[in-house]
Coordinates of all heavy atoms in Angstrom, one line a residue:
S5 N 76.2 30.8 8.7 CA 76.6 29.6 9.4 C 77.4 29.9 10.6 O 77.9 31.0 10.8 CB 77.5 28.7 8.4 OG 78.7 29.4 8.0
P6 N 77.5 29.0 11.6 CA 78.2 29.3 12.8 C 79.7 29.6 12.5 O 80.3 29.1 11.6 CB 78.1 28.0 13.6 CG 76.9 27.3 13.0 CD 76.9 27.6 11.6
F7 N 80.3 30.5 13.4 CA 81.7 30.8 13.3 C 82.5 29.6 13.7 O 82.2 29.0 14.8 CB 82.1 32.0 14.1 CG 81.7 33.3 13.5 CD1 80.5 33.9 13.8 CD2 82.6 33.9 12.6 CE1 80.2 35.2 13.3 CE2 82.3 35.1 12.0 CZ 81.1 35.8 12.4
T8 N 83.5 29.2 13.0 CA 84.3 28.1 13.3 C 85.4 28.5 14.3 O 85.7 29.7 14.4 CB 85.0 27.4 12.1 OG1 85.8 28.4 11.5 CG2 83.9 27.1 11.1
S9 N 86.0 27.5 14.9 CA 87.1 27.8 15.9 C 88.3 28.5 15.2 O 88.9 29.4 15.7 CB 87.6 26.5 16.5 OG 86.6 25.9 17.3
A10 N 88.6 28.1 13.9 CA 89.7 28.7 13.2 C 89.4 30.2 12.9 O 90.2 31.0 13.0 CB 89.9 27.9 11.9
E11 N 88.1 30.4 12.5 CA 87.7 31.8 12.2 C 87.8 32.7 13.5 O 88.2 33.8 13.4 CB 86.3 31.8 11.6 CG 86.2 31.3 10.2 CD 84.8 31.1 9.8 OE1 83.9 31.0 10.6 OE2 84.5 31.1 8.5
L12 N 87.4 32.2 14.6 CA 87.4 32.9 15.8 C 88.9 33.2 16.3 O 89.2 34.3 16.8 CB 86.7 32.2 16.9 CG 85.2 32.0 16.8 CD1 84.6 31.2 17.9 CD2 84.5 33.4 16.7
D13 N 89.8 32.2 16.0 CA 91.2 32.5 16.4 C 91.7 33.6 15.5 O 92.5 34.4 15.9 CB 92.0 31.2 16.2 CG 91.6 30.1 17.2 OD1 91.1 30.5 18.3 OD2 91.9 28.9 17.0
K14 N 91.4 33.6 14.2 CA 91.8 34.6 13.3 C 91.3 36.0 13.8 O 92.0 37.0 13.7 CB 91.4 34.3 11.9 CG 92.1 33.2 11.2 CD 91.6 33.0 9.8 CE 92.4 31.9 9.1 NZ 91.9 31.6 7.7
L15 N 90.0 36.0 14.2 CA 89.5 37.3 14.7 C 90.2 37.8 15.9 O 90.4 39.0 16.1 CB 88.0 37.1 14.9 CG 87.0 37.1 13.7 CD1 85.7 36.7 14.1 CD2 87.0 38.6 13.2
R16 N 90.5 36.9 16.8 CA 91.2 37.2 18.0 C 92.6 37.8 17.7 O 93.0 38.8 18.3 CB 91.4 36.0 18.9 CG 90.5 36.0 20.2 CD 90.8 34.9 21.1 NE 90.5 33.6 20.5 CZ 89.3 33.0 20.6 NH1 88.4 33.5 21.3 NH2 89.1 31.8 20.0
A17 N 93.3 37.2 16.8 CA 94.6 37.7 16.4 C 94.5 39.0 15.7 O 95.3 39.9 16.0 CB 95.3 36.6 15.4
W18 N 93.6 39.2 14.8 CA 93.4 40.5 14.2 C 93.1 41.6 15.2 O 93.6 42.7 15.1 CB 92.3 40.4 13.1 CG 92.0 41.7 12.5 CD1 92.6 42.2 11.4 CD2 91.1 42.7 12.9 NE1 92.1 43.5 11.1 CE2 91.2 43.8 12.0 CE3 90.2 42.8 14.0 CZ2 90.4 44.9 12.2 CZ3 89.4 43.9 14.2 CH2 89.5 45.0 13.3
S19 N 92.1 41.3 16.1 CA 91.7 42.2 17.1 C 92.9 42.7 18.0 O 93.0 43.9 18.2 CB 90.6 41.6 18.0 OG 90.2 42.5 18.9
A20 N 93.7 41.7 18.4 CA 94.9 42.1 19.2 C 95.9 43.0 18.4 O 96.4 43.9 19.0 CB 95.6 40.8 19.7
N21 N 96.1 42.6 17.2 CA 97.0 43.4 16.3 C 96.5 44.8 16.0 O 97.2 45.8 15.9 CB 97.3 42.7 15.0 CG 98.3 43.3 14.2 OD1 99.4 43.5 14.6 ND2 97.9 43.7 12.9
A22 N 95.1 44.9 15.9 CA 94.5 46.2 15.6 C 94.3 47.1 16.8 O 93.8 48.2 16.7 CB 93.2 46.0 14.8
G23 N 94.5 46.5 18.0 CA 94.3 47.3 19.2 C 92.8 47.4 19.6 O 92.4 48.4 20.2
C24 N 92.0 46.4 19.2 CA 90.6 46.4 19.4 C 90.2 45.4 20.6 O 91.1 44.7 21.1 CB 89.8 46.0 18.2 SG 89.9 47.1 16.8
E25 N 89.0 45.5 21.0 CA 88.5 44.7 22.1 C 87.5 43.7 21.6 O 86.6 44.0 20.9 CB 87.9 45.6 23.1 CG 87.1 45.0 24.3 CD 86.4 45.9 25.1 OE1 87.0 46.9 25.6 OE2 85.1 45.7 25.3
D26 N 87.7 42.4 22.0 CA 86.8 41.3 21.7 C 85.6 41.4 22.6 O 85.6 40.8 23.7 CB 87.5 40.0 21.7 CG 88.6 39.8 20.8 OD1 88.6 40.5 19.8 OD2 89.6 39.1 21.1
S27 N 84.6 42.2 22.3 CA 83.5 42.3 23.2 C 82.6 41.1 23.3 O 82.1 40.7 24.3 CB 82.6 43.5 22.8 OG 83.3 44.7 22.9
Y28 N 82.5 40.3 22.1 CA 81.8 39.1 22.2 C 82.3 38.1 21.1 O 82.3 38.4 19.9 CB 80.3 39.3 21.9 CG 79.5 38.0 21.9 CD1 79.2 37.3 23.1 CD2 79.2 37.4 20.7 CE1 78.5 36.1 23.0 CE2 78.5 36.2 20.6 CZ 78.2 35.5 21.8 OH 77.6 34.3 21.8
L29 N 82.8 37.0 21.6 CA 83.2 35.9 20.7 C 82.4 34.7 21.3 O 82.4 34.5 22.6 CB 84.7 35.6 20.7 CG 85.5 36.7 20.1 CD1 87.0 36.3 20.1 CD2 85.1 36.9 18.6
P30 N 81.8 33.8 20.5 CA 81.0 32.7 21.0 C 81.7 31.8 22.0 O 81.0 31.1 22.8 CB 80.4 32.1 19.8 CG 80.6 33.1 18.7 CD 81.8 33.9 19.0
D31 N 83.0 31.6 21.8 CA 83.7 30.6 22.6 C 84.4 31.2 23.8 O 85.2 30.6 24.5 CB 84.8 29.9 21.7 CG 85.8 30.9 21.2 OD1 85.6 32.1 21.3 OD2 86.9 30.5 20.6
E32 N 84.0 32.5 24.2 CA 84.5 33.1 25.4 C 83.4 33.4 26.4 O 82.2 33.3 26.0 CB 85.2 34.4 25.0 CG 86.5 34.3 24.2 CD 87.1 35.6 23.9 OE1 86.5 36.7 24.1 OE2 88.3 35.6 23.3
D33 N 83.7 33.7 27.6 CA 82.8 34.0 28.6 C 83.3 35.2 29.4 O 84.2 35.1 30.2 CB 82.5 32.9 29.5 CG 81.4 33.1 30.5 OD1 80.7 34.1 30.3 OD2 81.2 32.4 31.5
K34 N 82.7 36.4 29.1 CA 83.1 37.7 29.7 C 82.0 38.3 30.5 O 80.8 38.0 30.2 CB 83.7 38.6 28.7 CG 85.0 38.2 28.0 CD 85.5 39.2 27.1 CE 86.8 38.8 26.4 NZ 87.4 39.8 25.5
D35 N 82.3 39.2 31.3 CA 81.3 39.9 32.1 C 81.0 41.2 31.5 O 81.5 42.3 31.8 CB 81.8 40.1 33.6 CG 80.7 40.8 34.4 OD1 79.5 40.7 34.0 OD2 81.1 41.3 35.5
N36 N 80.1 41.2 30.4 CA 79.7 42.4 29.8 C 78.3 42.2 29.2 O 77.8 41.0 29.2 CB 80.7 42.8 28.7 CG 80.8 41.8 27.5 OD1 79.8 41.2 27.2 ND2 82.0 41.7 26.9
P37 N 77.6 43.2 28.8 CA 76.2 43.1 28.3 C 76.1 42.2 27.1 O 75.0 41.5 27.0 CB 75.8 44.5 28.0 CG 76.7 45.4 28.8 CD 78.0 44.7 28.9
F38 N 77.1 42.1 26.3 CA 76.9 41.2 25.1 C 76.8 39.7 25.5 O 76.0 39.0 25.0 CB 78.1 41.4 24.2 CG 78.3 42.8 23.7 CD1 79.2 43.7 24.3 CD2 77.5 43.3 22.6 CE1 79.3 45.0 23.8 CE2 77.6 44.6 22.1 CZ 78.5 45.4 22.8
H39 N 77.7 39.3 26.4 CA 77.7 37.9 26.9 C 76.4 37.7 27.7 O 75.8 36.6 27.7 CB 78.9 37.6 27.7 CG 80.1 37.3 26.8 ND1 80.4 36.1 26.2 CD2 81.1 38.2 26.3 CE1 81.5 36.2 25.5 NE2 81.9 37.4 25.6
A40 N 76.0 38.8 28.4 CA 74.7 38.6 29.2 C 73.5 38.4 28.3 O 72.6 37.6 28.6 CB 74.6 39.9 30.1
L41 N 73.5 39.1 27.2 CA 72.4 39.0 26.2 C 72.4 37.6 25.6 O 71.4 36.9 25.5 CB 72.5 40.0 25.1 CG 71.5 39.9 24.0 CD1 70.1 40.0 24.4 CD2 71.8 41.0 22.9
A42 N 73.6 37.1 25.2 CA 73.7 35.7 24.7 C 73.3 34.7 25.7 O 72.6 33.7 25.3 CB 75.2 35.5 24.2
K43 N 73.6 34.9 27.0 CA 73.2 34.0 28.0 C 71.7 34.0 28.2 O 71.1 32.9 28.4 CB 73.9 34.3 29.3 CG 73.5 33.4 30.5 CD 74.3 33.8 31.7 CE 73.9 32.9 32.9 NZ 74.5 33.3 34.2
A44 N 71.1 35.2 28.1 CA 69.7 35.3 28.2 C 69.0 34.6 27.1 O 67.9 34.0 27.3 CB 69.3 36.8 28.3
V45 N 69.5 34.7 25.9 CA 68.9 34.0 24.7 C 69.0 32.5 24.9 O 68.1 31.7 24.7 CB 69.6 34.4 23.4 CG1 69.1 33.5 22.3 CG2 69.3 35.9 23.1
R46 N 70.2 32.0 25.4 CA 70.4 30.6 25.6 C 69.4 30.0 26.7 O 68.9 28.9 26.5 CB 71.8 30.3 26.1 CG 72.9 30.4 25.0 CD 74.2 29.7 25.5 NE 74.7 30.3 26.7 CZ 75.6 31.3 26.8 NH1 76.0 31.9 25.6 NH2 76.0 31.7 27.9
E47 N 69.2 30.8 27.7 CA 68.3 30.4 28.8 C 66.8 30.8 28.6 O 66.0 30.6 29.5 CB 68.8 30.9 30.1 CG 70.2 30.4 30.5 CD 70.8 31.1 31.7 OE1 70.1 32.0 32.3 OE2 71.9 30.7 32.2
D48 N 66.5 31.3 27.4 CA 65.2 31.8 27.1 C 64.7 32.8 28.1 O 63.5 32.8 28.6 CB 64.2 30.6 27.1 CG 62.9 30.9 26.4 OD1 62.9 31.9 25.6 OD2 61.9 30.2 26.6
K49 N 65.5 33.8 28.5 CA 65.2 34.8 29.4 C 65.4 36.2 28.8 O 65.8 37.2 29.5 CB 66.0 34.7 30.7 CG 65.7 33.4 31.5 CD 66.5 33.4 32.8 CE 66.2 32.1 33.6 NZ 67.0 32.0 34.8
V50 N 65.3 36.3 27.5 CA 65.7 37.5 26.8 C 64.8 38.7 27.2 O 65.2 39.8 27.3 CB 65.7 37.3 25.3 CG1 64.3 37.0 24.7 CG2 66.4 38.4 24.6

């Protein structure tokens, strides 16, 4: 099922505490290949 806003907030908090990088979260928009791939899927340009 889709990730909820509450789940994404928990993942962000855990990632910051663990010293990790949020490479792709559905509610964010970053300049990296993961978000580029998601955008390509959304626009049917995969």
